[in-house]
């Protein structure tokens, strides 16, 4: 179990210059809306113990160079539970964020809805979810930091509903709290680390790294707005929200061998060479710094698909989704689709790097919905709200590669190929002997120069340094 910070300790851990927002305060009859005996006494004891008069503290703070709205839960106040007054404060915080074009950072530590207020408390989740949706529609970034514990409705709204979800090590995270789980439930499944493995958390961040991590995320996710107005702070309207045009990015320069392949089989050999630069090398060369999202929010993650945001040429924020040369899992396609839609909402261009022998086709991949995951990515690319630029850096294996490629804006490196099917499999389907695989590769016309001639790709990028 991670250390439990108070709301104000968590705020101090995250940023500086905290300015608390005005507090809306509705009046209740004695012992609250349900006349729950002892509720007023419990609130008074919580006030004495924590110094807070409700389970959330809301205000603005500077994190790095960006001012953001902070929503910090006080677990010491009735278990950080959500009641009607909690909902009032969260709604007021989101209203302030929209009015001033500020990102929202939630420092969550809650046991769920407040029993002493019954269904009135539970319906606060609908209010919170609506506020989060309004911020999403307005193009405002939302980041959640999961503290210990994050359970119930707080997890299912502010936590899991954020654009980027971070967690402190060892934090208890799950919809079911410790007292309501099955008696034989594995406690390890209800941790930040388990949720990250399941694709519900983007990163587990140590407390001493939290401020720097939040600062990087906020800088990246508010960069277009800051650059558009020549200032820093995220208090101006983003390009996407203002209806401004988002320009596509130029593809990175090639890092591998400069020469074009003489034959189709040469193209295959070059793309499969272990010496060829992989996605990480391209991302490191293209971005001065970057931050990754991880997981499809559907129970899975794929290490073979790198997704996130980075500071690209001229300091411009660019979203990226990059295959790493492995067969892409369904979770990888879903994560890429999540990334492209998030980039569209926030107004960032997207760079995709294609490098896969194809989609994973084992039984587990089929059970995990490979077809629907690939279909979802095709749809995300086809309907992207911001420009998508694609560079094929290695193998382009069939539809599992094409799903990540931008129609009309795909480029290739000299040591890559793109094919309807791998030459070996094409030969097998055509009942040709292994000796004809190389000729089949030529017939498929999969070399970069063939793809340009066919109009499949826009061009071949020059080698770095040329």
């Amino acid at each position: 179990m991670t250390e439990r910070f108070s709301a104000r300790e968590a705020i101090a851990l995250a940023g500086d210059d905290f300015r608390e927002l005005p507090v809306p305060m509705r009046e209740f009859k004695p012992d609250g809306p349900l006349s729950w005996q002892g509720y007023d006494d419990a609130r008074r004891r919580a006030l004495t113990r924590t110094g807070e008069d409700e389970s959330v503290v809301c205000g603005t703070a500077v994190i790095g160079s960006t001012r953001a709205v902070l929503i910090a839960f006080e677990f010491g106040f009735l278990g950080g539970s959500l009641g009607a007054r909690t909902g009032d404060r969260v709604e007021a915080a989101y209203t302030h964020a929209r009015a001033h074009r500020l990102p929202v950072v939630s420092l969550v530590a809650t046991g769920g809805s407040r029993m002493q207020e019954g269904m009135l408390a539970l319906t606060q989740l609908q209010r919170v979810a609506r506020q989060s949706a309004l911020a999403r529609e307005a193009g405002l970034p939302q980041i959640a930091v999961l503290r210990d514990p994050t359970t119930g409705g707080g997890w299912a709204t502010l936590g899991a509903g954020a654009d980027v979800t971070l967690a402190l090590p060892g934090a208890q995270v799950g919809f079911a709290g410790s007292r309501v789980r099955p008696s034989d439930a594995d406690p390890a499944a209800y941790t930040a680390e388990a949720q990250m493995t399941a694709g519900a958390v983007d990163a587990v961040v140590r407390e001493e790294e939290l401020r720097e991590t939040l600062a990087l995320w906020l800088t990246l996710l508010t960069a277009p707005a800051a650059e558009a107005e020549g200032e820093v702070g995220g208090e101006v309207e983003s390009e996407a929200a203002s209806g401004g045009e988002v320009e596509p990015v130029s593809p990175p320069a090639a890092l591998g061998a400069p020469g074009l392949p003489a034959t189709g089989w040469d193209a295959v050999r070059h793309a499969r060479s272990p010496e060829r630069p992989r996605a990480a090398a391209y991302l490191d060369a293209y971005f001065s710094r970057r931050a990754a999202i991880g997981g499809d929010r559907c129970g899975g993650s794929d290490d073979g698909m790198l997704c996130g945001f980075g500071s690209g040429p001229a300091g411009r924020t660019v979203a990226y989704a990059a295959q790493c040369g492995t067969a892409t899992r369904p979770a990888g396609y879903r994560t890429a689709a999540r990334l492209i839609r998030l980039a569209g909402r926030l107004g960032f261009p997207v760079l995709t790097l294609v490098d896969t022998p194809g989609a994973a086709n084992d039984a587990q991949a089929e059970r995990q919905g490979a077809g629907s995951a690939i279909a979802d990515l095709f749809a995300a690319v086809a309907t992207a709200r911001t420009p998508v630029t694609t560079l094929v850096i290695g193998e382009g294996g069939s539809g599992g590669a094409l799903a990540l490629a931008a129609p009309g804006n795909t480029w290739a490196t000299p040591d890559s190929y793109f094919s309807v099917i791998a030459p070996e499999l094409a030969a097998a389907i055509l009942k040709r002997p292994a000796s004809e695989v190389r000729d089949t590769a030529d017939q498929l016309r999969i070399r970069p120069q063939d793809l340009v001639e066919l109009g499949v790709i826009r061009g071949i990028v020059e080698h770095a340094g040329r």
Side-chain angles (χ1 to χ4, degrees):
M1 183 177 70
T2 188
E3 182 179 352
R4 286 184 175 171
F5 301 98
S6 70
R8 295 187 188 271
E9 288 173 335
I11 291 169
L13 198 64
D16 299 307
D17 190 28
F18 180 69
R19 304 173 187 175
E20 195 161 355
L21 292 172
V23 176
M25 185 63 74
R26 71 171 70 191
E27 292 298 325
F28 277 145
K29 61 185 181 181
D31 282 330
L34 304 186
S35 299
W36 186 289
Q37 187 175 0
Y39 182 36
D40 285 348
D41 289 338
R43 289 180 59 87
R44 281 191 287 270
R45 289 193 298 272
L47 170 61
T48 301
R49 181 169 58 253
T50 66
E52 308 295 347
D53 58 3
E54 196 36 84
S55 59
V56 289
V57 177
C58 299
T60 68
V62 175
I63 302 175
S65 59
T66 306
R67 184 163 288 278
V69 166
L70 263 60
I71 300 172
F73 280 73
E74 176 52 71
F75 188 75
F77 191 100
L78 302 180
S81 56
L82 284 86
R85 289 173 175 170
T86 316
D88 291 343
R89 294 189 180 191
V90 171
E91 183 173 285
Y94 268 99
T95 299
H96 183 88
R98 291 197 305 276
H100 296 273
R101 305 298 307 168
L102 296 175
V104 178
V105 176
S106 299
L107 307 172
V108 189
T110 173
S113 299
R114 193 169 299 169
M115 292 181 296
Q116 296 91 331
E117 294 184 22
M119 279 301 298
L120 182 62
L122 190 64
T123 58
Q124 301 309 305
L125 302 181
Q126 295 171 322
R127 291 180 74 190
V128 172
R130 181 174 184 273
Q131 293 303 312
S132 178
L134 290 174
R136 191 175 299 117
E137 290 177 1
L140 300 178
Q142 298 176 77
I143 301 175
V145 178
L146 312 182
R147 297 152 53 208
D148 186 60
T150 297
T151 60
W155 163 231
T157 52
L158 292 175
D163 297 320
V164 177
T165 303
L166 310 175
L168 297 180
Q172 179 188 172
V173 179
F175 188 65
S178 59
R179 297 183 183 180
V180 297
R181 299 171 193 154
S183 58
D184 60 348
D186 179 7
Y190 302 84
T191 63
E193 290 77 6
Q195 295 289 356
M196 182 174 170
T197 300
V201 167
D202 292 301
V204 175
V205 182
R206 294 183 299 174
E207 61 185 76
E208 60 269 26
E209 298 173 347
L210 180 61
R211 179 180 293 219
E212 180 180 357
T213 301
L214 284 173
L216 173 58
W217 270 114
L218 289 171
T219 296
L220 291 172
L221 298 186
T222 61
E227 290 172 9
E229 296 296 328
E231 61 184 62
V232 176
E235 299 193 30
V236 292
E237 194 170 2
S238 71
E239 292 177 11
S242 65
E245 292 295 326
V246 178
E247 294 294 328
V249 297
S250 299
L255 299 180
L260 290 173
T263 67
W265 188 246
D266 285 340
V268 173
R269 287 192 307 104
H270 294 170
R272 293 177 181 175
S273 169
E275 284 77 37
R276 174 183 57 78
R278 264 40 183 192
Y282 277 91
L283 296 177
D284 287 343
Y286 193 73
F287 295 111
S288 58
R289 54 181 178 172
R290 53 190 170 97
I293 65 169
D296 62 359
R297 298 297 188 263
C298 297
S301 59
D302 180 6
D303 292 339
M305 179 75 81
L306 302 179
C307 295
F309 296 83
S311 182
R316 182 186 188 191
T317 294
V318 176
Y320 64 84
Q323 292 168 318
C324 298
T326 58
T328 305
R329 310 293 307 176
Y333 291 114
R334 293 191 182 101
T335 304
R338 172 193 162 206
L339 181 281
I340 290 168
R341 292 187 174 115
L342 175 56
R345 289 202 310 270
L346 299 180
F348 301 112
V350 180
L351 170 68
T352 66
L353 301 180
V354 168
D355 184 11
T356 179
N361 59 6
D362 54 85
Q364 184 180 20
E366 294 298 338
R367 295 189 189 102
Q368 293 171 346
S372 61
I374 295 169
D376 187 46
L377 180 55
F378 268 119
V381 172
T383 61
R385 294 170 58 182
T386 52
V388 180
T389 301
T390 299
L391 179 63
V392 185
I393 64 170
E395 292 194 80
S398 195
L402 188 66
L404 197 60
N409 198 25
T410 293
W411 305 73
T413 64
D415 50 3
S416 67
Y417 78 87
F418 217 148
S419 179
V420 63
I421 193 171
E424 298 93 333
L425 298 179
I429 291 172
L430 296 172
K431 298 182 179 180
R432 295 177 176 179
S435 60
E436 294 186 23
V437 168
R438 297 189 178 194
D439 290 338
T440 302
D442 285 333
Q443 287 180 291
L444 287 169
R445 300 196 65 190
I446 60 180
R447 300 175 303 168
Q449 58 267 45
D450 296 326
L451 300 171
V452 172
E453 184 178 341
L454 291 169
V456 174
I457 65 174
R458 286 187 62 179
I460 303 167
V461 297
E462 292 189 2
H463 191 258
R466 291 189 65 187

